[in-house]
């Protein structure tokens, strides 16, 4: 340990020039070690607190990405850190051959505050979507295996969830795709209805497409999808991996629509950064799984569950979700102001709560990636979603003054184009 303290002291004494050099070394080393799957920004992040991240050179960033809607309570939320540390000192892993307290407490909270009666815990969004696909097939019975999902959707990177994803760019080079997935054109209920056959077991959709460009499903469309499922005995699966857990201003996005699914998947913000996913279902559907049908070694890990319990309790505390709605409206209003100021770049704003997209014109969209790069240079993190919108998904604890600061810097970026 004294060596580490010594290294930290030596690091603090380094000049910015040396730190920058060290950062370049880390980036070069990473690029030579890892498979080339990520296009990264040139920053080595070392610390985070609330909505602010700090890199290796001491530069600060206002974080409107939140690790892709993951750190919703902000970086290193003290109560979450405390829960993680306390649980790590007690019990880290035992497998699902035994019962543990944190996962039972988490399941109890999820069931008490959702439509669902039963829970399955796993480690990521793709993994719980795989579970949902398996459950829908098992529930459908022999010969009913096809899932209809929507164009523009995103459901994950495993083979099945990639096949469910309704964007061709994710499929290229990985054919043949697993069988049993078809995609309906977005917003066209009649076309969706025509795709239902004796093979169909379920419809999978995001109430608001996040990766697809911050695109909420119209109310009547979602209502129509629910009715199609009821009429044909299909399970309706909501992928709330990105928009669940308070992001839209309600604990789950489906609450806005007043439409309940039969299965719902959660992941990103559930553990505020610890890897955890949950698949929830109504009892009648969940009953189609028997022991041995599905499992996960790490799923329901006590440390991840202890973090998730704290996330749930924090979000359910008085005033938390009301503040998300208030700040979401404020963010949307400020972005709308920019859209009006720069009509050649942006057409408007869409989103719910604290997932908001500045929708770009075709000229704007051709510059979307550059806008994000310039923002990064000015110390603001955001991303460009679906090739159509700048997406803003700050920690839900963001303040109005941080929103103002981000909008001011975005104003400068747009003004320079
Ligand atoms: C991120 C995401 C996933 C995939 O989650 P991973 O944890 O990356 O596997 C699935 N669905 C939606 C809607 C997502 O946003």
């Amino acid at each position: 340990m004294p060596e580490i303290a010594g290294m930290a002291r030596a690091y603090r004494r380094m000049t910015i020039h040396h730190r920058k050099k060290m950062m370049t070394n880390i980036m070069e080393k990473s690029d030579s070690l890892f498979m080339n799957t990520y296009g990264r920004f040139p920053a080595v992040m070392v610390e985070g607190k609330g909505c602010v991240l700090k890199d290796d050179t001491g530069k600060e960033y206002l974080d409107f990405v939140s690790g892709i809607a993951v750190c919703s309570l902000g970086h290193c939320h003290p109560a979450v850190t405390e829960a993680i540390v306390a649980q790590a000192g007690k019990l880290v892993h035992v497998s699902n051959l035994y019962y543990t307290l944190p996962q039972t407490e988490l399941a109890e909270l999820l069931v008490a505050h959702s439509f669902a009666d039963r829970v399955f815990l796993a480690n990521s969004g793709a993994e719980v979507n795989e579970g949902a696909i398996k459950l829908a097939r098992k529930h459908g019975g022999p010969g009913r295996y096809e899932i209809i999902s929507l164009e523009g959707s995103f459901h994950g990177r495993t083979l099945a969830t990639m096949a469910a994803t309704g964007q061709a760019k994710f499929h290229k080079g990985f054919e043949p795709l697993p069988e049993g997935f078809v995609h309906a054109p977005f917003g066209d209920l009649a076309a969706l209805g025509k795709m239902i056959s004796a093979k169909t077991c379920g419809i999978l959709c995001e109430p608001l497409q996040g990766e697809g460009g911050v695109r909420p499903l119209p109310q009547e469309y979602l209502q129509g999808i629910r009715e199609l499922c009821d009429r044909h005995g299909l399970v309706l699966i909501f992928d709330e991996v990105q928009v669940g857990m308070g992001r839209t201003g309600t604990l789950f996005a489906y609450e806005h629509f007043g439409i309940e699914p039969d299965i719902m998947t959660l992941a990103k913000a559930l553990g505020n950064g610890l890897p955890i996913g949950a698949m929830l279902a109504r009892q009648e559907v969940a009953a189609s799984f028997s022991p041995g049908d599905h499992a996960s070694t790490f799923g329901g890990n006590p440390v991840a569950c202890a973090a998730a319990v704290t996330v749930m309790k924090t979000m359910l505390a008085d005033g938390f979700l009301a503040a998300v709605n208030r700040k979401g409206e404020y963010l949307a209003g400020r972005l709308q102001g920019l859209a009006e100021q720069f009509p050649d770049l942006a057409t408007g704003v869409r989103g719910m709560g604290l997932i908001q997209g500045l929708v770009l014109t075709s000229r704007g969209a051709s510059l979307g990636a550059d806008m994000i790069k310039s923002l990064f240079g000015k110390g603001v993190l955001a991303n460009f979603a679906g090739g159509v919108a700048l997406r803003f998904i700050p920690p839900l604890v963001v303040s109005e003054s941080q929103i103002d600061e981000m909008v001011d810097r975005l104003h400068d970026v747009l003004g320079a184009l």
Side-chain angles (χ1 to χ4, degrees), residues 22-43:
M22 195 167 130
M23 178 170 120
T24 306
N25 287 343
I26 289 170
M27 295 190 300
E28 278 173 3
K29 204 187 266 186
S30 286
D31 290 344
S32 72
L33 288 167
F34 290 106
M35 295 190 193
N36 189 21
T37 57
Y38 302 110
R40 303 200 212 230
F41 289 86

Side-chain angles (χ1 to χ4, degrees), residues 91-234:
L91 186 69
V92 172
H93 176 82
V94 290
S95 94
N96 287 300
L97 293 171
Y98 315 98
Y99 299 93
T100 68
L101 294 174
Q103 64 170 236
T104 311
E105 195 180 356
L106 175 60
E108 203 168 25
L109 282 166
L110 288 169
V111 165
H113 296 281
S114 73
F115 72 95
D117 308 301
R118 297 277 180 162
V119 180
F120 180 88
L121 294 173
N123 312 283
S124 67
E127 197 185 353
V128 284
N129 282 341
E130 286 271 344
I133 292 162
K134 281 179 71 178
L135 181 57
R137 285 187 175 191
K138 193 85 200 302
H139 189 68
R144 294 180 70 199
Y145 58 85
E146 198 168 77
I147 305 262
I148 305 173
S149 53
L150 305 185
E151 283 175 3
S153 63
F154 182 81
H155 299 296
R157 303 292 204 139
T158 59
L159 278 169
T161 59
M162 177 187 71
T165 292
Q167 299 186 60
K169 66 176 181 193
F170 292 108
H171 301 158
K172 243 182 96 199
F174 300 108
E175 300 88 351
L177 301 180
E179 236 189 287
F181 298 93
V182 290
H183 308 111
F186 186 95
D188 187 342
L189 195 62
L192 177 58
K194 283 197 201 115
M195 292 172 82
I196 297 171
S197 73
K199 290 187 292 189
T200 313
C201 66
I203 299 178
L204 165 65
C205 62
E206 304 152 85
L208 179 160
Q209 293 185 342
E211 298 306 304
V214 192
R215 189 157 61 152
L217 268 61
Q219 172 77 30
E220 330 73 71
Y221 184 45
L222 203 54
Q223 185 69 47
I225 292 176
R226 176 71 268 179
E227 283 162 16
L228 281 175
C229 286
D230 292 342
R231 194 169 332 136
H232 296 273
L234 313 176

Side-chain angles (χ1 to χ4, degrees), residues 51 63-66 69 71-72 247 331 354-356 392-398 403:
C51 301
D63 187 0
F64 276 68
V65 172
S66 311
C71 301
S72 282
R247 177 54 57 186
L331 173 60
L354 280 170
I355 174 162
Q356 294 290 340
F392 301 96
I393 39 178
L396 305 180
V397 297
V398 70
I403 291 172

Side-chain angles (χ1 to χ4, degrees), residues 274-331:
L274 261 71
I276 181 167
M279 173 186 39
L280 282 63
R282 292 193 297 110
Q283 164 61 20
E284 186 212 338
V285 175
S288 295
F289 266 172
S290 313
D293 279 344
H294 197 48
S296 167
T297 297
F298 293 119
N301 170 279
V303 180
C305 286
V309 164
T310 309
V311 170
M312 286 286 292
K313 287 181 176 167
T314 306
M315 289 185 178
L316 289 166
D318 262 359
F320 185 91
L321 293 170
V324 173
N325 280 306
R326 212 167 46 241
K327 291 182 286 190
E329 270 173 39
Y330 186 72
L331 173 60

